[in-house]
Amino acid sequence: MADQSRAAELTLPLRLRRGLSRPANWLQLLRFSVVGATGYLINLAVFAACVHGLGIDYRLAAGLAFVVAVTNNFVLNRRWTFEAHHGHAGFQAARFMTVSLAAFVLNLVVLQVLVDAAALPKLGAQALAVVAATPLNFAGNKLWSFRA
């Protein structure tokens, strides 16, 4: 058992180097970033409309913004970023939602800390919270949601 875990530890840097040396992975990261940017803008637009236009509590507004943005991101990531036509869309959606919810929980924690403890403006705090959750989101979707 110990030999297996040691072998897994030794292969991770090799796998990482191989992955970083493939241009296709860099293109995929670029596409993920473009999709993320559209989702980010959609998230902030919905959040701002809910908080400033409709007077909705910022925590509920973050939830609504998340639902709209995550729907956009799933469709674009499945079709364009990962070209994941091989898998069942329902299973991919469930995995994508699981990863997205984990990232959203992190987003909410960061958002609340930035608003309540750091007294940042709500929109700016949401922008920073989304950025803080992005690495978890990418890794989970790359390695689990849309893996071949």
Side-chain angles (χ1 to χ4, degrees):
M1 188 77 132
D3 290 335
Q4 286 177 338
S5 85
R6 178 145 170 80
E9 289 174 15
L10 294 175
T11 61
L12 182 60
L14 178 61
R15 289 183 64 204
L16 185 58
R17 280 194 306 259
R18 284 182 181 165
L20 291 173
S21 69
R22 294 192 175 131
N25 288 339
W26 288 102
L27 178 60
Q28 193 173 59
L29 178 60
L30 178 63
R31 287 181 175 180
F32 186 85
S33 297
V34 169
V35 170
T38 64
Y40 183 73
L41 293 174
I42 289 168
N43 185 298
L44 293 179
V46 172
F47 182 83
C50 288
V51 170
H52 299 297
L54 301 174
I56 296 174
D57 179 78
Y58 73 93
R59 290 167 288 242
L60 179 57
L64 295 171
F66 167 77
V67 169
V68 175
V70 80
T71 302
N72 169 77
N73 289 1
F74 173 74
V75 170
L76 291 178
N77 277 317
R78 183 172 194 272
R79 292 184 181 185
W80 186 55
T81 304
F82 298 106
E83 297 175 358
H85 309 290
H86 59 276
H88 187 277
F91 292 131
Q92 290 171 341
R95 287 179 174 185
F96 187 85
M97 185 56 73
T98 300
V99 170
S100 297
L101 285 171
F104 179 62
V105 167
L106 176 60
N107 176 301
L108 278 180
V109 169
V110 172
L111 175 64
Q112 188 148 5
V113 166
L114 292 174
V115 170
D116 294 343
L120 289 180
K122 293 171 185 160
L123 185 58
Q126 173 67 352
L128 292 172
V130 170
V131 169
T134 296
L136 172 65
N137 206 351
F138 175 73
N141 285 308
K142 168 83 174 154
L143 300 173
W144 188 50
S145 301
F146 296 112
R147 75 173 180 224

